[in-house]
Amino acid sequence: MPVLTTAPGATPADEEPPDAGERHRLTAVTGLAALSLDAMASVAYGPEAIVLVLAAAGAHGLGFTLPVTLAIAALLAVLVASYRQVIAAFPDGGGSYAVARTHLGRRTSLVAAGSLVLDYVLNVAVAVTAGVAALTSAFPALYDDRLWLCLAVLALITAVNLRGIVESAKAFIVPTVVFVGSILVLIAVGLFRSEPVSTATAAGHASALADNATTVGALLLLKAFASGCAALTGVEAIANAVPSFRVPRARRAQHAEVALGAVLGVMLIGLSVLISRFHLQPVEGVTVLAQLADASLGHNWGFYVIQFATMILLALSANTSFGGLPVLLKLLARDNHLPHVFALKADRQVHRHGVLALAAVSTALIVFSGGDTNTLVPLFAIGVFVGFTIAQAGMVLHWRTERGPGSRGRALLNGFGGLLTGVAAVVVTATKFEEGAWLIVIALPLLVVAFEAVHRAYARIGERLGLGRIPEHPHRDRSVVIVPVSSLSRLTSEALTAAASLGDEVRAVTVCHPDPEDRSALHALERSWAEWDPGVPLVRLSSERRALGRPIAAYVRDVMASEPAARVTVLIPETEPERLWQRLLQNQRGAVVAHAVRKETGAVICRLRFRLF
């Protein structure tokens, strides 16, 4: 029976200290900084989205800003309560994907996962471009360099996240506190004012109110509700990244989720109250939040603090995706829907491949849009509503199977939330379809098809490998090791020594071409080989064409055909230079031979690295 041993000084896995690696995980406070920036920053555009829709009904329509916001806040409370339950029921993370996989089937879970992937990627692109847009609004001279600024911000966020999610939380906790504190001060001061203290920001800007105002109907209110629900993006991120928290993980994640809901709800309702109190109207070129800061605090240093805090948090809100998406990709990889490399962790509990993949796709989107937020916004927030709806529907079924005190009320709560988010998903998709939302309608099914294709590929690989079945006992076969050589050197000696250690029979092969120079080199090699007499035969392979890999591959095929019971190994000796740049000086013969043998035969390839330092 095999015995597992532990290296000196190492700690066995089952005796690992309970706090090992915990310092690289999140607390409830750092979890807010790392995973809630998207939701926090949404107060910069959520209330404005409501006002812009209601402006179609004129000043009378703007009077419905607070009721619509209260409806969104009620939905926020439902979502927070639901995702708090999701965290407890699915502590391995995954959010709506984990819920759907358990209660709604694999195909529905892949729709949820695809919608979250799309939303996370778009969130990064939108957040970075929006933050840079705020910067270029303050400093117009930078406008022509906005694309490079976007890429620089994205590179910074990626670099911080490659150092670990705790490092990103530490880096972003100060901007988060400054932003939230500034908004709360703005609301508190504004509640004590009966009229705006300043309107300098909006002065001289054209009003965005419709000249031919429409009536306030159910469709307009639904559209305003759906647009304002953009403020709810990011609420699911904590439930997706529960494994990133310290133990007890579920409890800390629940505390962070409730804190996020409370802070976000207070900010949304407070800002909407001030919009109604000051009778603000949307104007072109000035954000509603800027008007509120002007009206509440005056056009002074406080106004600029809020503007800069908003700009910074918008740019950094991309960090929510870097905290949530790699964990989701890990779960998809674990379930064989993505390459297994996404399940690997580096030091500091970092899913490095997920972080890099998110950065790469986001870079492509930013370059495609030219750093323009308006190009990306129509695609944004649709996916998150799909995920919300699926998660709510799955939790309804969860409470049907987990019957207990209060389960019926919880199921009704989740059902009501699912109805609201489902309506929001339909309305947002319909209203933004011609503006670019059709891309999401196409991309989501394609992503699901890709997940299925990867799953089928892994199923075929598993069947061929016999995964899950006990294999036959290992046994020893006769082995032949073939070593390509071109000259005599210390490398040749090392290669033959290694080959003799690996196989029962060793054969050296060299390729000869018909031109005189090559023939002369071959004769010199054969004379030197005979003089050296290593006890290994040198086989000459003639080739009419200037090829190296194919003649060796053909010889390997012949050996395998003549000795079907033998294991054939091709050992390719290569030098490893002292400096990285010196690899450019190598002729790459080894890579050529390895490619040909791998492509045309089933032989084992062994590449011997001989260090020159």
Side-chain angles (χ1 to χ4, degrees):
M1 179 177 179
V3 178
L4 298 179
T5 60
T6 304
T11 304
D14 57 351
E15 298 178 11
E16 185 177 357
D19 61 341
E22 290 300 299
R23 62 192 181 91
H24 295 306
R25 299 185 188 269
L26 299 169
T27 64
V29 174
T30 55
L32 274 177
L35 300 171
S36 68
L37 296 185
D38 180 18
M40 296 293 186
S42 66
V43 301
Y45 51 79
E48 182 164 8
I50 299 172
V51 169
L52 288 174
V53 173
L54 293 177
H60 177 62
L62 293 178
F64 288 86
T65 300
L66 182 57
V68 171
T69 304
L70 291 175
I72 293 173
L75 177 57
L76 172 63
V78 172
L79 289 173
V80 168
S82 175
Y83 276 105
R84 190 174 181 275
Q85 296 163 2
V86 170
I87 291 169
F90 300 92
D92 289 335
S96 58
Y97 169 67
V99 175
R101 183 185 57 191
T102 302
H103 297 293
L104 299 174
R106 186 167 59 88
R107 185 64 59 82
T108 305
S109 71
L110 294 181
V111 173
S115 65
L116 287 174
V117 168
L118 291 173
D119 191 71
Y120 274 137
V121 172
L122 285 166
N123 172 57
V124 172
V126 170
V128 171
T129 55
V132 171
L135 176 65
T136 57
S137 296
F139 302 98
L142 298 175
Y143 183 79
D144 291 337
D145 298 320
R146 64 190 184 281
L147 176 58
W148 295 108
L149 290 172
C150 288
L151 296 179
V153 171
L154 179 57
L156 173 64
I157 298 172
T158 302
V160 171
N161 278 276
L162 286 174
R163 291 186 53 81
I165 193 168
V166 170
E167 297 299 323
S168 70
K170 291 178 180 178
F172 301 148
I173 194 168
V174 172
T176 304
V177 170
V178 171
F179 176 79
V180 173
S182 300
I183 297 298
L184 294 180
V185 168
L186 183 156
I187 294 171
V189 173
L191 291 175
F192 287 97
R193 299 192 185 279
S194 57
E195 60 182 18
V197 67
S198 171
T199 58
T201 303
H205 292 267
S207 173
L209 286 180
D211 295 329
N212 50 346
T214 62
T215 58
V216 179
L219 183 60
L220 183 68
L221 293 177
L222 273 178
K223 187 175 179 181
F225 173 81
S227 296
C229 279
L232 303 181
T233 57
V235 172
E236 78 292 345
I238 293 175
N240 289 340
V242 178
S244 299
F245 284 83
R246 294 180 184 176
V247 292
R249 309 195 199 288
R251 187 179 303 172
R252 290 183 187 274
Q254 286 177 324
H255 291 166
E257 186 74 47
V258 172
L260 168 61
V263 173
L264 180 58
V266 167
M267 290 194 295
L268 287 175
I269 295 174
L271 293 176
S272 294
V273 168
L274 294 186
I275 290 172
S276 300
R277 189 182 189 88
F278 295 143
H279 304 289
L280 291 186
Q281 299 180 2
V283 297
E284 297 178 1
V286 179
T287 65
V288 169
L289 185 60
Q291 291 187 66
L292 287 175
D294 200 22
S296 180
L297 303 176
H299 205 75
N300 50 31
W301 63 268
F303 169 83
Y304 287 102
V305 167
I306 289 181
Q307 291 305 104
F308 277 99
T310 303
M311 174 193 70
I312 293 172
L313 203 73
L314 276 170
L316 298 184
S317 63
N319 196 67
T320 297
S321 296
F322 282 96
L325 182 59
V327 177
L328 176 62
L329 296 183
K330 179 202 76 171
L331 295 178
L332 285 167
R334 185 194 64 185
D335 295 337
N336 295 332
H337 294 297
L338 278 180
H340 288 169
V341 69
F342 288 108
L344 300 179
K345 276 186 180 180
D347 295 337
R348 300 173 180 266
Q349 303 296 322
V350 179
H351 296 286
R352 183 169 295 166
H353 294 90
V355 171
L356 292 175
L358 174 58
V361 178
S362 301
T363 298
L365 278 175
I366 291 174
V367 172
F368 168 77
S369 67
D372 180 28
T373 307
N374 294 327
T375 304
L376 298 167
V377 165
L379 312 177
F380 187 49
I382 296 173
V384 74
F385 289 126
V386 175
F388 283 161
T389 305
I390 291 175
Q392 299 289 320
M395 289 306 295
V396 171
L397 295 179
H398 174 76
W399 295 122
R400 289 183 61 184
T401 56
E402 298 285 335
R403 295 185 181 275
S407 60
R408 177 173 296 182
R410 292 170 180 170
L412 289 174
L413 183 67
N414 292 137
F416 177 65
L419 176 64
L420 291 180
T421 56
V423 169
V426 172
V427 173
V428 170
T429 303
T431 55
K432 296 182 177 181
F433 189 83
E434 294 183 355
E435 300 176 34
W438 59 270
L439 283 172
I440 302 299
V441 176
I442 295 174
L444 182 55
L446 290 178
L447 202 53
V448 173
V449 169
F451 291 153
E452 292 278 24
V454 172
H455 190 270
R456 287 194 299 269
Y458 273 124
R460 289 193 298 269
I461 293 171
E463 180 63 28
R464 292 174 183 174
L465 291 177
L467 296 179
R469 301 193 298 269
I470 298 177
E472 63 182 30
H473 286 286
H475 59 279
R476 177 178 174 81
D477 286 334
R478 169 176 150 72
S479 58
V480 178
V481 183
I482 298 171
V483 183
V485 297
S486 59
S487 62
L488 282 187
S489 65
R490 186 180 171 188
L491 177 62
T492 310
S493 177
E494 291 286 340
L496 294 181
T497 300
S501 304
L502 291 174
D504 299 311
E505 180 183 354
V506 179
R507 303 178 191 176
V509 298
T510 186
V511 179
C512 172
H513 300 109
D515 53 295
E517 183 180 352
D518 280 349
R519 286 189 173 278
S520 175
L522 173 63
H523 294 323
L525 174 61
E526 288 178 331
R527 288 194 300 269
S528 299
W529 195 273
E531 182 180 350
W532 182 37
D533 191 17
V536 175
L538 178 63
V539 180
R540 178 197 300 185
L541 304 178
S542 298
S543 175
E544 297 297 326
R545 297 183 177 181
R546 299 293 302 180
L548 177 65
R550 287 185 178 179
I552 296 176
Y555 177 75
V556 172
R557 284 200 308 271
D558 292 340
V559 173
M560 295 179 71
S562 62
E563 301 187 49
R567 298 275 180 172
V568 179
T569 300
V570 180
L571 188 146
I572 304 171
E574 297 175 297
T575 58
E576 183 176 336
E578 183 178 4
R579 305 294 182 187
L580 182 63
W581 67 268
Q582 292 173 348
R583 296 184 182 182
L584 299 174
L585 307 179
Q586 296 176 295
N587 55 26
Q588 306 301 323
R589 291 166 59 95
V592 172
V593 173
H595 176 74
V597 173
R598 181 181 296 109
K599 181 180 179 181
E600 301 182 23
T601 76
V604 176
I605 298 173
C606 178
R607 302 181 73 169
L608 175 67
R609 301 282 187 177
F610 181 71
R611 294 189 173 185
L612 299 178
F613 52 94

